Amino acid sequence: MNKVHAYAAQEAGGKLNPFTYELPALGSEEVDIKIHYCGICHSDLSMIKNEWGMTQYPLVPGHEIVGEVIAVGSEVKNLKPGVLVGLGWNSASCMHCDQCMNGSHHLCSTVEGTIVGRHGGFADQVRGHWSWAIPLPEGIDLKKAGPLLCGGITVFNPIILAGVKATDRVGVIGIGGLGHMALKFLNKWGCEVIAFSSNPDKKEQILAMGATKVINSRNPKELESIAGSLDFILNTTNVSLDWNSYLTALAPQGKFHTVGAVLEPMAIPAFSLIMGEKTVGGSPLGSPALTRTMLEFCVRHDIYPMVEEFPMAEVNAALDHLESGKARYRIVLKV
Ligand SMILES: [Zn+2]
Ligand SMILES: [Zn+2]
């Protein structure tokens, strides 16, 4: 039996406490990963509080995992002990449905979340299906790579889905954990990037990350000044905004894409879409293959999230720091 030392919440909103559990025998297509680093994502907070109604306790959060393969099942062909891998929000998918066969494993109807009904990465070890254990490219900075596995791919996938071109003018709403990674990707993509932020204190940092211009999203006049100019807008916030003013900022045939899980319905006036042939979409994460592509793009262009590191034993302080909104911009736990 394989004993895992983890941190778990025992009840909704509860503090995390040391927790050990035993893994059963390794399945033929599974791999065990010794964890080096694990990022903290807003979804971990949502899961701890059971905001989405799907948390099972005890919950070991953590789904931005970077580590080393230490055991592989008998059918695993592409990984062996010693290989460095990342494991994100998803840990397994059926491998035979149309989506899996198309390479869109993240859209599989039975895709399994790393912290949904199983224990995640705030631990010294985690288990997953080989397909989701993404081999890390040579030269990647392990200390900062964790958040790329969830937050990074979440904002990279929309750039591919929307067919964003190097010549495009684009916008990113909300420059936090997700948004600051989107800025860096779009800057290296070649785009002119407008950042929408409600926090003037972040302006200098946002410009240094590659934004061409920062627009105060609380000032309707500033929003009006860019009407009809953006080919693509990515929303990373999870609060209700004046959606129509952002649709107005889109150029004809522009695309508005949200990865922020706004819980209230989004009121979208049909005429705003019809007159300029505009579209509104959304997406979760991305496929394993696209995650690999993204990681290579990150190494090539030296794109990493800004991270603050905490020892895993201080996970509660790290979670409080994230919840206070003071994290700049992503937190990583070191085992
Ligand atoms: Zn996440
Ligand atoms: Zn499937």
Side-chain angles (χ1 to χ4, degrees):
M1 279 291 186
N2 205 345
K3 211 172 225 175
V4 181
H5 302 273
Y7 288 87
Q10 298 288 345
E11 60 188 7
K15 289 273 173 229
L16 269 54
N17 287 310
F19 169 75
T20 55
Y21 70 96
E22 287 194 344
L23 285 167
L26 189 64
S28 62
E29 296 197 26
E30 291 178 324
V31 301
D32 279 337
I33 301 164
K34 178 178 186 277
I35 300 172
H36 294 332
Y37 296 95
C38 186
I40 308 184
C41 175
H42 259 281
S43 311
D44 292 311
L45 281 177
S46 298
M47 285 295 289
I48 291 169
K49 294 180 193 165
N50 197 19
E51 281 173 7
W52 300 328
M54 60 184 187
T55 307
Q56 292 170 33
Y57 299 92
L59 165 75
V60 178
H63 59 274
E64 295 186 338
I65 298 159
V66 165
E68 179 185 337
V69 173
I70 49 169
V72 301
S74 57
E75 299 297 325
V76 176
K77 299 178 182 77
N78 63 326
L79 297 171
K80 55 180 196 298
V83 173
L84 293 170
V85 293
L87 186 74
W89 176 258
N90 293 318
S91 274
S93 42
C94 81
M95 305 302 281
H96 54 74
C97 72
D98 287 349
Q99 284 68 37
C100 284
M101 294 299 281
N102 279 333
S104 298
H105 305 66
H106 61 300
L107 303 180
C108 173
S109 63
T110 58
V111 69
E112 293 175 29
T114 300
I115 60 170
V116 184
R118 63 160 79 198
H119 293 316
F122 293 178
D124 58 1
Q125 199 178 314
V126 71
R127 178 170 288 180
H129 189 269
W130 61 263
S131 60
W132 285 100
I134 315 290
L136 299 176
E138 208 169 304
I140 199 164
D141 186 343
L142 295 182
K143 291 187 173 116
K144 298 179 185 168
L148 296 170
L149 274 302
C150 176
I153 189 62
T154 296
V155 296
F156 189 79
N157 191 23
I159 299 171
I160 304 293
L161 288 173
V164 174
K165 299 189 293 293
T167 48
D168 283 347
R169 299 182 77 199
V170 302
V172 178
I173 308 174
I175 310 304
L178 290 174
H180 90 291
M181 283 189 265
L183 274 188
K184 292 181 176 206
F185 284 134
L186 288 161
N187 170 261
K188 292 296 182 190
W189 211 255
C191 301
E192 181 181 337
V193 192
I194 308 285
F196 298 99
S197 173
S198 58
N199 185 349
D201 294 347
K202 290 184 184 170
K203 187 169 177 180
E204 290 311 312
Q205 244 173 15
I206 293 172
L207 290 171
M209 285 172 200
T212 321
K213 188 175 178 182
V214 184
I215 284 198
N216 180 350
S217 49
R218 295 225 168 99
N219 184 342
K221 285 241 155 49
E222 286 194 32
L223 265 172
E224 278 168 30
S225 73
I226 54 153
S229 69
L230 301 179
D231 302 293
F232 171 71
I233 297 178
L234 181 65
N235 173 48
T236 69
T237 68
N238 58 4
V239 292
S240 281
L241 300 171
D242 178 7
W243 307 116
N244 195 38
S245 54
Y246 289 101
L247 294 179
T248 305
L250 285 176
Q253 299 185 325
K255 293 171 180 170
F256 182 96
H257 194 106
T258 187
V259 295
V262 187
L263 292 177
E264 300 89 42
M266 296 166 72
I268 306 282
F271 256 105
S272 295
L273 300 180
I274 292 168
M275 296 318 287
E277 296 182 358
K278 296 171 184 175
T279 52
V280 175
S283 61
L285 303 141
S287 71
L290 189 62
T291 306
R292 290 194 206 194
T293 303
M294 173 200 69
L295 292 172
E296 282 168 19
F297 187 72
C298 291
V299 171
R300 186 187 307 158
H301 292 292
D302 199 29
I303 300 171
Y304 292 101
M306 276 179 69
V307 301
E308 297 180 72
E309 191 177 299
F310 284 69
M312 189 153 304
E314 289 171 25
V315 60
N316 288 306
L319 285 164
D320 289 345
H321 187 56
L322 176 63
E323 194 156 26
S324 72
K326 291 190 187 120
R328 293 292 180 273
Y329 281 79
R330 215 64 191 180
I331 299 171
V332 169
L333 300 173
K334 185 178 194 301
V335 178

